[in-house]
């Protein structure tokens, strides 16, 4: 097992977990409560592999042994999977439908309904997709409307194919079922909960 | 290595263990994503009985941090047993600043009132909820109410309001008055007086609701429409008083009626103590009105 990673090769997690995770959670909660708002994750540890800082912080804060995690091939590397297993204990699964959280790149998107969308009676049993994008607040802005937005918000997410927004419209039409999306770039997050309608 | 702060307390920060907080946090995010839908969560035993705010306390414990300023009210008052003990609990286990001032608070845990002072963006209002299911008194089976919510089949609620009109000439429900959230889910606003219902509508603050015994969390995000159910010919109305507060003279706040002596002398007082005290500071010198004894 000489090629196995040692514990020293695993990127560091939280130093003071209760307080760091609390601050990051409040950032994520602010993002969900105000869809489209760019929220900066403060003082998050350095991320492993291809993950950005905000995605790693999201996983450290919310993933644990109760949340099966699906990693897109780009992120399914020993650096990332060892980091996730060591710090969160989340099982990394191969089946997308089993995942509570999924980490995806912006350029290889999959139809949302290959993930769990919940059921009519339990719409909370749905997946949250964290999509790594090149930048937030950059590129073509679109109009977002829905709960948490005062009237409408103009939101730009860089690096997404226009097809994404057609898929999103289909996902939104499933409400109250459907997946929730978090866009992550560097230390920043934007949440797109299923209830948000986006003008394409 | 950076300095690691040493926790001297025997409990984890904010009382709950980290695993429990993560579970509650995930439930809160789902609740915010599906406004008005009741998310089941693994409610824990808390160091106080059900009915004393175990749901609200678990929600507060999962969100609160050292940067927060906490206000706790019970029926509008900061100085009642439930409010004082919950405030002290969090001052002790979560090392947070506490306040009685609505505008200074970042997190407000409430039992059965919404503060009179308008809430601002960034504030979080945590409700203690006894019975989260608005249809429970009409349909006791959880499997059935869950199906009714799934299908948005709310005729039974409309019938119950109609029966109230047939019997009383008006919708007689005065508290826990059902609301429609974002035109999708009927939600119990917890036993706040219907006077407070309009404050829930498109509020800039985030509303989180925690029911400890029933193990449900639900939420209303900021700026989300919250409509009190009614009929075209029986529109929703809030309570009004012909009296004003005996201490501050307020005519626009929710008033409690108090009997203050053996001869039945009555006083009307603001239910929201912070609002009343602020006004007493501003309106010193004005003559308060008293209701004569009958």
């Amino acid at each position: 097992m000489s090629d196995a990673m040692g514990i020293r090769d695993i990127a560091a997690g939280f130093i003071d977990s209760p307080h760091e995770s609390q601050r990051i959670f409040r950032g994520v909660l602010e993002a969900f409560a105000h869809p489209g708002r760019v929220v900066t994750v403060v003082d998050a540890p350095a991320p492993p592999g291809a993950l950005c800082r905000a995605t790693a912080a999201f996983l450290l804060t919310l993933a644990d042994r109760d949340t099966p995690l699906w990693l897109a091939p780009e992120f399914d590397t020993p650096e990332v999977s060892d980091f996730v297993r060591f710090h969160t204990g989340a099982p990394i699964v191969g089946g997308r439908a089993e995942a509570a959280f999924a980490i995806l790149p912006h350029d290889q998107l999959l139809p949302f309904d290959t993930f769990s969308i919940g059921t009519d009676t339990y719409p909370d049993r749905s997946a949250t997709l964290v999509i790594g994008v090149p930048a937030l607040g950059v590129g073509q802005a679109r109009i977002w409307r829905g709960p948490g937005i005062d009237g409408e918000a103009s939101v730009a997410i860089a690096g997404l194919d226009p097809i994404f927004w057609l898929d999103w419209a289909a996902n939104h039409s499933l409400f109250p079922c459907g997946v929730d999306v978090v866009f992550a770039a560097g230390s920043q997050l934007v949440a797109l909960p299923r209830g948000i309608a986006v003008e394409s | 290595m950076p300095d690691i702060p040493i926790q001297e307390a025997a409990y984890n920060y904010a009382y709950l263990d980290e695993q429990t907080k993560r579970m509650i946090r995930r439930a809160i995010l789902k609740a915010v994503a599906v406004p008005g839908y009741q998310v089941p969560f693994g409610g824990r035993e808390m160091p106080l009985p059900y009915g004393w705010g175990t749901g609200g306390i678990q929600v507060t414990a999962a969100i609160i941090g050292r940067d927060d300023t906490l206000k706790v009210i019970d029926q509008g008052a900061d100085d009642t047993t439930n409010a004082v003990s919950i405030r002290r609990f969090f001052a002790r286990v979560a090392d947070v600043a506490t306040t009685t001032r609505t505008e200074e608070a970042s997190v407000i845990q409430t039992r059965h009132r919404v503060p009179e002072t308008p809430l601002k963006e960034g504030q979080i209002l945590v409700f203690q909820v006894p019975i989260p299911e608005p249809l429970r008194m009409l349909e006791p089976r959880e499997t059935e109410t869950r199906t009714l919510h799934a299908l948005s089949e709310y005729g039974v609620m409309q019938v119950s309001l109609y029966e109230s009109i047939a019997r009383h000439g008006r919708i007689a429900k005065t508290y826990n008055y059902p609301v429609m959230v974002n035109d999708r889910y009927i939600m119990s606003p917890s036993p706040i007086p219907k006077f407070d219902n309009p404050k829930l509508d498109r509020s800039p603050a985030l509303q989180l609701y925690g029911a400890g015994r029933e193990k449900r969390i639900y939420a209303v995000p900021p700026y989300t429409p919250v409509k009190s159910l009614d009929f075209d010919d029986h529109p929703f109305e809030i309570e009004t008083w012909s009296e004003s507060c005996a201490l501050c003279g307020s005519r626009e706040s929710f008033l409690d009626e108090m009997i203050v002596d053996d001869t039945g002398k009555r006083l009307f007082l603001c239910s929201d103590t912070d609002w009343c005290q602020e006004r007493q500071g501003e309106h010193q010198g004005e003559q308060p009105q008293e209701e004569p004894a009958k």
Side-chain angles (χ1 to χ4, degrees), chain A residues 6-32:
Chain A
I7 193 156
R8 293 189 177 281
D9 300 322
I10 297 176
F14 290 141
I15 293 164
D16 186 13
S17 175
H19 301 292
E20 287 171 272
S21 62
Q22 186 272 338
R23 272 201 303 276
I24 291 166
F25 171 70
R26 283 290 281 276
V28 175
L29 180 60
E30 183 188 354
F32 270 76

PDB file of all heavy atoms in Angstrom, chain A residues 6-32:
ATOM      1  N   GLY A   6      -1.097   9.074   2.844  1.00  0.00           N
ATOM      2  CA  GLY A   6      -1.004   9.102   4.290  1.00  0.00           C
ATOM      3  C   GLY A   6      -1.910  10.175   4.839  1.00  0.00           C
ATOM      4  O   GLY A   6      -2.415  11.017   4.103  1.00  0.00           O
ATOM      5  N   ILE A   7      -2.087  10.144   6.140  1.00  0.00           N
ATOM      6  CA  ILE A   7      -2.997  11.104   6.752  1.00  0.00           C
ATOM      7  C   ILE A   7      -2.470  12.522   6.588  1.00  0.00           C
ATOM      8  O   ILE A   7      -3.230  13.479   6.524  1.00  0.00           O
ATOM      9  CB  ILE A   7      -3.224  10.744   8.234  1.00  0.00           C
ATOM     10  CG1 ILE A   7      -4.407  11.546   8.772  1.00  0.00           C
ATOM     11  CG2 ILE A   7      -1.985  10.976   9.082  1.00  0.00           C
ATOM     12  CD1 ILE A   7      -5.061  10.907   9.950  1.00  0.00           C
ATOM     13  N   ARG A   8      -1.160  12.671   6.425  1.00  0.00           N
ATOM     14  CA  ARG A   8      -0.600  14.016   6.261  1.00  0.00           C
ATOM     15  C   ARG A   8      -0.899  14.595   4.889  1.00  0.00           C
ATOM     16  O   ARG A   8      -0.745  15.784   4.677  1.00  0.00           O
ATOM     17  CB  ARG A   8       0.909  13.979   6.473  1.00  0.00           C
ATOM     18  CG  ARG A   8       1.274  13.663   7.896  1.00  0.00           C
ATOM     19  CD  ARG A   8       2.755  13.844   8.166  1.00  0.00           C
ATOM     20  NE  ARG A   8       3.033  13.584   9.564  1.00  0.00           N
ATOM     21  CZ  ARG A   8       2.810  14.445  10.544  1.00  0.00           C
ATOM     22  NH1 ARG A   8       2.319  15.631  10.262  1.00  0.00           N
ATOM     23  NH2 ARG A   8       3.059  14.140  11.796  1.00  0.00           N
ATOM     24  N   ASP A   9      -1.307  13.728   3.955  1.00  0.00           N
ATOM     25  CA  ASP A   9      -1.602  14.227   2.618  1.00  0.00           C
ATOM     26  C   ASP A   9      -3.029  14.761   2.511  1.00  0.00           C
ATOM     27  O   ASP A   9      -3.408  15.327   1.505  1.00  0.00           O
ATOM     28  CB  ASP A   9      -1.414  13.116   1.584  1.00  0.00           C
ATOM     29  CG  ASP A   9       0.019  12.606   1.599  1.00  0.00           C
ATOM     30  OD1 ASP A   9       0.914  13.452   1.779  1.00  0.00           O
ATOM     31  OD2 ASP A   9       0.213  11.392   1.462  1.00  0.00           O
ATOM     32  N   ILE A  10      -3.842  14.531   3.539  1.00  0.00           N
ATOM     33  CA  ILE A  10      -5.233  14.989   3.482  1.00  0.00           C
ATOM     34  C   ILE A  10      -5.283  16.467   3.865  1.00  0.00           C
ATOM     35  O   ILE A  10      -4.704  16.863   4.880  1.00  0.00           O
ATOM     36  CB  ILE A  10      -6.119  14.149   4.428  1.00  0.00           C
ATOM     37  CG1 ILE A  10      -6.113  12.689   3.967  1.00  0.00           C
ATOM     38  CG2 ILE A  10      -7.523  14.702   4.482  1.00  0.00           C
ATOM     39  CD1 ILE A  10      -6.872  11.755   4.872  1.00  0.00           C
ATOM     40  N   ALA A  11      -5.967  17.234   3.035  1.00  0.00           N
ATOM     41  CA  ALA A  11      -6.066  18.673   3.310  1.00  0.00           C
ATOM     42  C   ALA A  11      -6.745  18.891   4.654  1.00  0.00           C
ATOM     43  O   ALA A  11      -7.601  18.109   5.070  1.00  0.00           O
ATOM     44  CB  ALA A  11      -6.860  19.362   2.201  1.00  0.00           C
ATOM     45  N   ALA A  12      -6.340  19.964   5.320  1.00  0.00           N
ATOM     46  CA  ALA A  12      -6.872  20.239   6.657  1.00  0.00           C
ATOM     47  C   ALA A  12      -8.347  20.601   6.596  1.00  0.00           C
ATOM     48  O   ALA A  12      -8.830  21.170   5.622  1.00  0.00           O
ATOM     49  CB  ALA A  12      -6.086  21.376   7.294  1.00  0.00           C
ATOM     50  N   GLY A  13      -9.050  20.267   7.656  1.00  0.00           N
ATOM     51  CA  GLY A  13     -10.452  20.650   7.775  1.00  0.00           C
ATOM     52  C   GLY A  13     -10.586  21.836   8.719  1.00  0.00           C
ATOM     53  O   GLY A  13      -9.690  22.687   8.794  1.00  0.00           O
ATOM     54  N   PHE A  14     -11.692  21.877   9.443  1.00  0.00           N
ATOM     55  CA  PHE A  14     -11.878  22.954  10.408  1.00  0.00           C
ATOM     56  C   PHE A  14     -10.925  22.793  11.583  1.00  0.00           C
ATOM     57  O   PHE A  14     -10.594  21.680  11.985  1.00  0.00           O
ATOM     58  CB  PHE A  14     -13.315  22.935  10.959  1.00  0.00           C
ATOM     59  CG  PHE A  14     -14.357  23.350   9.968  1.00  0.00           C
ATOM     60  CD1 PHE A  14     -15.592  22.702   9.931  1.00  0.00           C
ATOM     61  CD2 PHE A  14     -14.122  24.398   9.089  1.00  0.00           C
ATOM     62  CE1 PHE A  14     -16.568  23.094   9.033  1.00  0.00           C
ATOM     63  CE2 PHE A  14     -15.102  24.792   8.185  1.00  0.00           C
ATOM     64  CZ  PHE A  14     -16.327  24.140   8.157  1.00  0.00           C
ATOM     65  N   ILE A  15     -10.537  23.922  12.151  1.00  0.00           N
ATOM     66  CA  ILE A  15      -9.741  23.897  13.369  1.00  0.00           C
ATOM     67  C   ILE A  15     -10.659  23.964  14.584  1.00  0.00           C
ATOM     68  O   ILE A  15     -10.453  23.295  15.580  1.00  0.00           O
ATOM     69  CB  ILE A  15      -8.749  25.082  13.367  1.00  0.00           C
ATOM     70  CG1 ILE A  15      -7.724  24.866  12.267  1.00  0.00           C
ATOM     71  CG2 ILE A  15      -8.080  25.232  14.731  1.00  0.00           C
ATOM     72  CD1 ILE A  15      -6.946  26.105  11.918  1.00  0.00           C
ATOM     73  N   ASP A  16     -11.692  24.788  14.469  1.00  0.00           N
ATOM     74  CA  ASP A  16     -12.615  25.005  15.582  1.00  0.00           C
ATOM     75  C   ASP A  16     -14.021  24.785  15.029  1.00  0.00           C
ATOM     76  O   ASP A  16     -14.759  25.725  14.759  1.00  0.00           O
ATOM     77  CB  ASP A  16     -12.419  26.436  16.094  1.00  0.00           C
ATOM     78  CG  ASP A  16     -13.228  26.709  17.342  1.00  0.00           C
ATOM     79  OD1 ASP A  16     -13.735  25.750  17.943  1.00  0.00           O
ATOM     80  OD2 ASP A  16     -13.362  27.891  17.692  1.00  0.00           O
ATOM     81  N   SER A  17     -14.353  23.514  14.853  1.00  0.00           N
ATOM     82  CA  SER A  17     -15.517  23.131  14.054  1.00  0.00           C
ATOM     83  C   SER A  17     -16.836  23.820  14.444  1.00  0.00           C
ATOM     84  O   SER A  17     -17.543  24.323  13.568  1.00  0.00           O
ATOM     85  CB  SER A  17     -15.653  21.612  14.118  1.00  0.00           C
ATOM     86  OG  SER A  17     -16.800  21.202  13.482  1.00  0.00           O
ATOM     87  N   PRO A  18     -17.217  23.872  15.721  1.00  0.00           N
ATOM     88  CA  PRO A  18     -18.530  24.459  16.026  1.00  0.00           C
ATOM     89  C   PRO A  18     -18.679  25.886  15.515  1.00  0.00           C
ATOM     90  O   PRO A  18     -19.731  26.242  14.965  1.00  0.00           O
ATOM     91  CB  PRO A  18     -18.592  24.428  17.559  1.00  0.00           C
ATOM     92  CG  PRO A  18     -17.655  23.342  17.948  1.00  0.00           C
ATOM     93  CD  PRO A  18     -16.566  23.356  16.920  1.00  0.00           C
ATOM     94  N   HIS A  19     -17.638  26.687  15.651  1.00  0.00           N
ATOM     95  CA  HIS A  19     -17.768  28.097  15.277  1.00  0.00           C
ATOM     96  C   HIS A  19     -17.581  28.307  13.780  1.00  0.00           C
ATOM     97  O   HIS A  19     -18.304  29.078  13.163  1.00  0.00           O
ATOM     98  CB  HIS A  19     -16.778  28.944  16.083  1.00  0.00           C
ATOM     99  CG  HIS A  19     -17.012  28.820  17.555  1.00  0.00           C
ATOM    100  ND1 HIS A  19     -18.143  29.316  18.145  1.00  0.00           N
ATOM    101  CD2 HIS A  19     -16.319  28.204  18.527  1.00  0.00           C
ATOM    102  CE1 HIS A  19     -18.120  29.031  19.445  1.00  0.00           C
ATOM    103  NE2 HIS A  19     -17.019  28.343  19.692  1.00  0.00           N
ATOM    104  N   GLU A  20     -16.599  27.592  13.198  1.00  0.00           N
ATOM    105  CA  GLU A  20     -16.401  27.745  11.761  1.00  0.00           C
ATOM    106  C   GLU A  20     -17.619  27.243  10.988  1.00  0.00           C
ATOM    107  O   GLU A  20     -18.086  27.884  10.051  1.00  0.00           O
ATOM    108  CB  GLU A  20     -15.150  26.990  11.317  1.00  0.00           C
ATOM    109  CG  GLU A  20     -13.874  27.676  11.747  1.00  0.00           C
ATOM    110  CD  GLU A  20     -12.668  26.807  11.484  1.00  0.00           C
ATOM    111  OE1 GLU A  20     -12.319  25.999  12.354  1.00  0.00           O
ATOM    112  OE2 GLU A  20     -12.086  26.936  10.403  1.00  0.00           O
ATOM    113  N   SER A  21     -18.144  26.073  11.389  1.00  0.00           N
ATOM    114  CA  SER A  21     -19.288  25.548  10.651  1.00  0.00           C
ATOM    115  C   SER A  21     -20.517  26.433  10.866  1.00  0.00           C
ATOM    116  O   SER A  21     -21.319  26.616   9.955  1.00  0.00           O
ATOM    117  CB  SER A  21     -19.586  24.101  11.057  1.00  0.00           C
ATOM    118  OG  SER A  21     -19.919  24.028  12.416  1.00  0.00           O
ATOM    119  N   GLN A  22     -20.640  27.006  12.045  1.00  0.00           N
ATOM    120  CA  GLN A  22     -21.783  27.899  12.296  1.00  0.00           C
ATOM    121  C   GLN A  22     -21.721  29.123  11.371  1.00  0.00           C
ATOM    122  O   GLN A  22     -22.717  29.502  10.765  1.00  0.00           O
ATOM    123  CB  GLN A  22     -21.786  28.331  13.770  1.00  0.00           C
ATOM    124  CG  GLN A  22     -23.002  29.155  14.186  1.00  0.00           C
ATOM    125  CD  GLN A  22     -22.831  30.642  13.965  1.00  0.00           C
ATOM    126  OE1 GLN A  22     -21.718  31.152  13.889  1.00  0.00           O
ATOM    127  NE2 GLN A  22     -23.950  31.342  13.833  1.00  0.00           N
ATOM    128  N   ARG A  23     -20.545  29.738  11.271  1.00  0.00           N
ATOM    129  CA  ARG A  23     -20.425  30.928  10.420  1.00  0.00           C
ATOM    130  C   ARG A  23     -20.697  30.587   8.959  1.00  0.00           C
ATOM    131  O   ARG A  23     -21.387  31.315   8.253  1.00  0.00           O
ATOM    132  CB  ARG A  23     -19.031  31.543  10.550  1.00  0.00           C
ATOM    133  CG  ARG A  23     -18.894  32.549  11.670  1.00  0.00           C
ATOM    134  CD  ARG A  23     -17.694  33.459  11.420  1.00  0.00           C
ATOM    135  NE  ARG A  23     -16.466  32.731  11.261  1.00  0.00           N
ATOM    136  CZ  ARG A  23     -15.694  32.314  12.278  1.00  0.00           C
ATOM    137  NH1 ARG A  23     -16.035  32.592  13.512  1.00  0.00           N
ATOM    138  NH2 ARG A  23     -14.589  31.641  12.056  1.00  0.00           N
ATOM    139  N   ILE A  24     -20.154  29.455   8.524  1.00  0.00           N
ATOM    140  CA  ILE A  24     -20.351  29.084   7.125  1.00  0.00           C
ATOM    141  C   ILE A  24     -21.816  28.728   6.877  1.00  0.00           C
ATOM    142  O   ILE A  24     -22.397  29.109   5.866  1.00  0.00           O
ATOM    143  CB  ILE A  24     -19.389  27.951   6.732  1.00  0.00           C
ATOM    144  CG1 ILE A  24     -17.963  28.505   6.727  1.00  0.00           C
ATOM    145  CG2 ILE A  24     -19.750  27.370   5.373  1.00  0.00           C
ATOM    146  CD1 ILE A  24     -16.889  27.464   6.679  1.00  0.00           C
ATOM    147  N   PHE A  25     -22.421  28.027   7.843  1.00  0.00           N
ATOM    148  CA  PHE A  25     -23.843  27.709   7.662  1.00  0.00           C
ATOM    149  C   PHE A  25     -24.676  28.974   7.531  1.00  0.00           C
ATOM    150  O   PHE A  25     -25.584  29.054   6.703  1.00  0.00           O
ATOM    151  CB  PHE A  25     -24.393  26.860   8.808  1.00  0.00           C
ATOM    152  CG  PHE A  25     -25.891  26.713   8.724  1.00  0.00           C
ATOM    153  CD1 PHE A  25     -26.461  25.949   7.725  1.00  0.00           C
ATOM    154  CD2 PHE A  25     -26.724  27.390   9.603  1.00  0.00           C
ATOM    155  CE1 PHE A  25     -27.840  25.855   7.603  1.00  0.00           C
ATOM    156  CE2 PHE A  25     -28.100  27.303   9.489  1.00  0.00           C
ATOM    157  CZ  PHE A  25     -28.660  26.534   8.492  1.00  0.00           C
ATOM    158  N   ARG A  26     -24.370  29.975   8.355  1.00  0.00           N
ATOM    159  CA  ARG A  26     -25.159  31.212   8.263  1.00  0.00           C
ATOM    160  C   ARG A  26     -24.973  31.866   6.902  1.00  0.00           C
ATOM    161  O   ARG A  26     -25.904  32.492   6.373  1.00  0.00           O
ATOM    162  CB  ARG A  26     -24.795  32.149   9.398  1.00  0.00           C
ATOM    163  CG  ARG A  26     -25.408  31.734  10.726  1.00  0.00           C
ATOM    164  CD  ARG A  26     -26.909  31.932  10.742  1.00  0.00           C
ATOM    165  NE  ARG A  26     -27.212  33.321  10.976  1.00  0.00           N
ATOM    166  CZ  ARG A  26     -27.273  33.877  12.173  1.00  0.00           C
ATOM    167  NH1 ARG A  26     -27.107  33.118  13.247  1.00  0.00           N
ATOM    168  NH2 ARG A  26     -27.522  35.143  12.305  1.00  0.00           N
ATOM    169  N   GLY A  27     -23.790  31.710   6.311  1.00  0.00           N
ATOM    170  CA  GLY A  27     -23.590  32.198   4.948  1.00  0.00           C
ATOM    171  C   GLY A  27     -24.459  31.430   3.959  1.00  0.00           C
ATOM    172  O   GLY A  27     -25.110  32.012   3.088  1.00  0.00           O
ATOM    173  N   VAL A  28     -24.486  30.101   4.099  1.00  0.00           N
ATOM    174  CA  VAL A  28     -25.302  29.272   3.201  1.00  0.00           C
ATOM    175  C   VAL A  28     -26.789  29.600   3.402  1.00  0.00           C
ATOM    176  O   VAL A  28     -27.558  29.712   2.443  1.00  0.00           O
ATOM    177  CB  VAL A  28     -25.035  27.775   3.454  1.00  0.00           C
ATOM    178  CG1 VAL A  28     -25.960  26.914   2.609  1.00  0.00           C
ATOM    179  CG2 VAL A  28     -23.575  27.428   3.153  1.00  0.00           C
ATOM    180  N   LEU A  29     -27.180  29.782   4.669  1.00  0.00           N
ATOM    181  CA  LEU A  29     -28.584  30.114   4.957  1.00  0.00           C
ATOM    182  C   LEU A  29     -28.947  31.467   4.341  1.00  0.00           C
ATOM    183  O   LEU A  29     -30.028  31.631   3.776  1.00  0.00           O
ATOM    184  CB  LEU A  29     -28.810  30.134   6.475  1.00  0.00           C
ATOM    185  CG  LEU A  29     -30.232  30.466   6.950  1.00  0.00           C
ATOM    186  CD1 LEU A  29     -31.245  29.453   6.423  1.00  0.00           C
ATOM    187  CD2 LEU A  29     -30.289  30.522   8.474  1.00  0.00           C
ATOM    188  N   GLU A  30     -28.023  32.424   4.436  1.00  0.00           N
ATOM    189  CA  GLU A  30     -28.286  33.726   3.810  1.00  0.00           C
ATOM    190  C   GLU A  30     -28.441  33.562   2.299  1.00  0.00           C
ATOM    191  O   GLU A  30     -29.316  34.172   1.683  1.00  0.00           O
ATOM    192  CB  GLU A  30     -27.138  34.709   4.118  1.00  0.00           C
ATOM    193  CG  GLU A  30     -27.409  36.094   3.555  1.00  0.00           C
ATOM    194  CD  GLU A  30     -26.214  37.044   3.680  1.00  0.00           C
ATOM    195  OE1 GLU A  30     -25.210  36.678   4.303  1.00  0.00           O
ATOM    196  OE2 GLU A  30     -26.329  38.153   3.130  1.00  0.00           O
ATOM    197  N   ALA A  31     -27.600  32.711   1.709  1.00  0.00           N
ATOM    198  CA  ALA A  31     -27.693  32.483   0.263  1.00  0.00           C
ATOM    199  C   ALA A  31     -29.044  31.862  -0.105  1.00  0.00           C
ATOM    200  O   ALA A  31     -29.680  32.268  -1.078  1.00  0.00           O
ATOM    201  CB  ALA A  31     -26.544  31.588  -0.195  1.00  0.00           C
ATOM    202  N   PHE A  32     -29.513  30.885   0.679  1.00  0.00           N
ATOM    203  CA  PHE A  32     -30.809  30.251   0.392  1.00  0.00           C
ATOM    204  C   PHE A  32     -31.964  31.217   0.648  1.00  0.00           C
ATOM    205  O   PHE A  32     -32.988  31.174  -0.044  1.00  0.00           O
ATOM    206  CB  PHE A  32     -30.994  28.981   1.236  1.00  0.00           C
ATOM    207  CG  PHE A  32     -30.490  27.736   0.566  1.00  0.00           C
ATOM    208  CD1 PHE A  32     -29.130  27.469   0.500  1.00  0.00           C
ATOM    209  CD2 PHE A  32     -31.364  26.829  -0.019  1.00  0.00           C
ATOM    210  CE1 PHE A  32     -28.654  26.325  -0.132  1.00  0.00           C
ATOM    211  CE2 PHE A  32     -30.910  25.686  -0.648  1.00  0.00           C
ATOM    212  CZ  PHE A  32     -29.548  25.430  -0.710  1.00  0.00           C
TER     213      PHE A  32
END
